[in-house]
Amino acid sequence: MVKINENFLKLPGGYLFPEIGRRVRAFSAENPPMPIIRLGIGDVTQPLAPVVISAMEKAVEEMSRKETFRGYCEETCCAYDFLRYAIQGSYKARGVDIADDEIFVSDGAKTDCGSIGDIFGVDNVVAVCDPVYPVYVDTNAMAGRAGDYDGERWTNLIYLPCTADNGFFPALPEGEKVPDLIYICSPNNPTGAAATKEQLKIWVDYANKHGSVILYDSAYEAFITQPGIPHSIFEVEGAKTCAIEFRSFSKTAGFTGVRCAYTVIPKELERGGASLNALWSRRQGTKFNGVSYVVQRAAEAVFTPEGQAQTQKAIAYYLNNAQVIKKGLSAAGLTVYGGENAPYIWARTPDGMGSWEFFDLLLKKACVVTTPGAGFGPSGEGYVRLTAFGDADATKTAVERVCNMFQ
């Protein structure tokens, strides 16, 4: 008889966002008094930049002619040279030298964050920031690295508390247990906090000292507005020998429905006598056939001067929404974080209310969908996350509804 991966049976309930969707659908069936406004799941609402659309149209036209048709992408790292060189140039503009064959293009940072574990043994010790993007935890649980779930946390994971007291950035772990794999997301999802170079340097030095690997998710780097906040961990000295970086076009350029991202693995990064760049290349070559030519041309257009100007316009739109949410909820008496260098607002629930309890209250009283902080880990309890990716008018209306609840 076939054996299943029993680690899946240990997973609690369902993935966070489908559970939110289930509750919203159930509420919608009750004919709510007002149209529902979704500030929960972080999907974008602004259309693709005109220069991106033009690039896609041109690429589609090329695919219609025999002489310019493209089939499988057989180039390095499952990516066409033109996109890898464009990405390489964006790093160089920030003073970071990355070789083009250290860049791996994929269909999403979520995919890569979930798949990177393939090149690591299942007995590695994993540390995650708490609260944490659920994909980091769930994929390690599926692989068998997380141990058992006790109703609040996984027994084999090291949880690094990120609270208001430490500015939502973790301190080095205490005790004899040293993590082999360390997940860091900056700007952070869900708290919106952005790490300084000094904060990251502490972790880089720690990883190099202990032979750990930092899995650095910088999917929201384009939202950084504060000077001195690094956009890449490779801006930190020593990171090339201990870090892997994930980036995405989803929030940067509105590619959530188009799908494109990239992962950078320096060739200097070796563990167990093996190049992690070579291992990931082998993994991708076996399990992945690359992103379509049309999408890669669209992604290339993001790095043009026109593309940068047009995508920054959309980012500014979302950051303005973030300020509307932050200022409005603060005026209503809530304690609010984030929204400065990230599209997320992290709001403390009032009067010690539970995260799901406050989620339900906002849904029923204001018809506003948020994300319960408890879904991001133990330290997320007592908070809700709101996203700035909605329509500006709808966002303003949602904030007004929430404020009216506290009058």
Side-chain angles (χ1 to χ4, degrees):
M1 180 179 293
V2 67
K3 295 181 179 179
I4 64 169
N5 182 348
E6 295 186 0
N7 292 307
F8 278 72
L9 302 180
K10 300 177 182 179
L11 295 170
Y15 185 56
L16 171 62
F17 299 111
E19 171 60 18
I20 291 173
R22 185 193 67 77
R23 295 193 183 207
V24 173
R25 287 191 297 273
F27 177 65
S28 296
E30 300 174 359
N31 299 310
M34 299 175 288
I36 291 175
I37 300 177
R38 299 174 184 269
L39 299 182
I41 297 176
D43 197 3
V44 296
T45 55
Q46 292 300 291
L48 295 171
V51 69
V52 170
I53 295 297
S54 295
M56 293 179 75
E57 290 173 342
K58 182 180 178 181
V60 168
E61 197 276 330
E62 289 178 29
M63 296 293 280
S64 72
R65 301 196 310 271
K66 183 176 181 179
E67 60 272 21
T68 52
F69 173 78
R70 307 285 186 120
Y72 286 125
C73 178
E74 298 180 352
E75 297 184 49
T76 304
C77 309
C78 297
Y80 292 101
D81 288 346
F82 59 78
L83 180 53
R84 286 188 287 111
Y85 294 155
I87 295 170
Q88 182 185 34
S90 72
Y91 275 97
K92 190 171 184 179
R94 293 197 176 277
V96 177
D97 290 323
I98 297 293
D100 68 282
D101 57 356
E102 295 174 330
I103 300 165
F104 298 83
V105 174
S106 75
D107 63 357
K110 180 179 181 179
T111 300
D112 288 352
C113 286
S115 299
I116 196 68
D118 285 2
I119 68 173
F120 297 108
V122 295
D123 56 347
N124 281 300
V125 177
V126 178
V128 295
C129 294
D130 173 32
V132 61
Y133 180 42
V135 170
Y136 310 152
V137 172
D138 288 1
T139 53
N140 278 287
M142 291 171 181
R145 295 189 191 92
D148 297 312
Y149 188 68
D150 66 7
E152 184 180 52
R153 62 184 70 209
W154 292 88
T155 56
N156 285 358
L157 294 183
I158 296 175
Y159 287 82
L160 306 170
C162 297
T163 66
D165 291 338
N166 62 17
F168 300 104
F169 190 78
L172 296 177
E174 298 179 353
E176 297 180 358
K177 199 173 184 181
V178 175
D180 302 301
L181 302 175
I182 303 162
Y183 287 83
I184 296 177
C185 177
S186 179
N188 184 261
N189 176 15
T191 67
T196 65
K197 185 175 290 188
E198 292 73 21
Q199 288 175 316
L200 293 176
K201 178 61 173 171
I202 292 172
W203 279 99
V204 167
D205 290 345
Y206 177 88
N208 280 322
K209 177 182 178 180
H210 294 284
S212 307
V213 174
I214 297 172
L215 303 174
Y216 190 76
D217 187 349
S218 62
Y220 305 99
E221 60 84 22
F223 289 84
I224 294 173
T225 58
Q226 183 179 343
I229 300 294
H231 289 245
S232 167
I233 195 168
F234 299 122
E235 295 177 47
V236 179
E237 183 181 359
K240 287 187 178 182
T241 54
C242 70
I244 294 172
E245 181 162 283
F246 307 96
R247 284 197 181 182
S248 172
F249 292 93
S250 288
K251 309 302 168 55
T252 299
F255 274 44
T256 55
V258 177
R259 310 306 306 148
C260 195
Y262 52 98
T263 292
V264 177
I265 306 183
K267 283 176 283 189
E268 296 100 308
L269 178 53
E270 297 183 354
R271 292 294 183 269
S275 163
L276 298 193
N277 178 288
L279 293 182
W280 185 244
S281 181
R282 183 69 173 84
R283 188 269 179 201
Q284 292 296 82
T286 300
K287 292 189 175 184
F288 185 61
N289 268 335
V291 176
S292 75
Y293 172 72
V294 173
V295 169
Q296 290 199 45
R297 280 297 187 190
E300 177 196 24
V302 173
F303 295 102
T304 64
E306 298 87 350
Q308 289 292 289
Q310 292 170 11
T311 54
Q312 282 299 318
K313 184 177 180 180
I315 289 170
Y317 179 94
Y318 295 133
L319 285 174
N320 183 69
N321 282 348
Q323 287 303 302
V324 169
I325 297 171
K326 187 170 186 176
K327 292 177 181 178
L329 297 189
S330 296
L334 297 178
T335 302
V336 186
Y337 306 92
E340 301 291 341
N341 298 296
Y344 295 116
I345 292 84
W346 192 237
R348 190 187 298 273
T349 61
D351 304 320
M353 188 178 295
S355 294
W356 281 105
E357 183 183 0
F358 192 47
F359 167 89
D360 288 333
L361 181 66
L362 292 174
L363 179 61
K364 293 175 181 178
K365 297 295 184 181
C367 292
V368 172
V369 180
T370 59
T371 305
F376 296 102
S379 293
E381 179 57 78
Y383 291 87
V384 294
R385 189 195 74 175
L386 299 92
T387 76
F389 290 116
D391 171 81
D393 290 337
T395 297
K396 182 179 178 182
T397 298
V399 171
E400 290 173 350
R401 291 181 188 175
V402 175
C403 288
N404 288 337
M405 290 174 52
F406 294 93
Q407 289 182 349

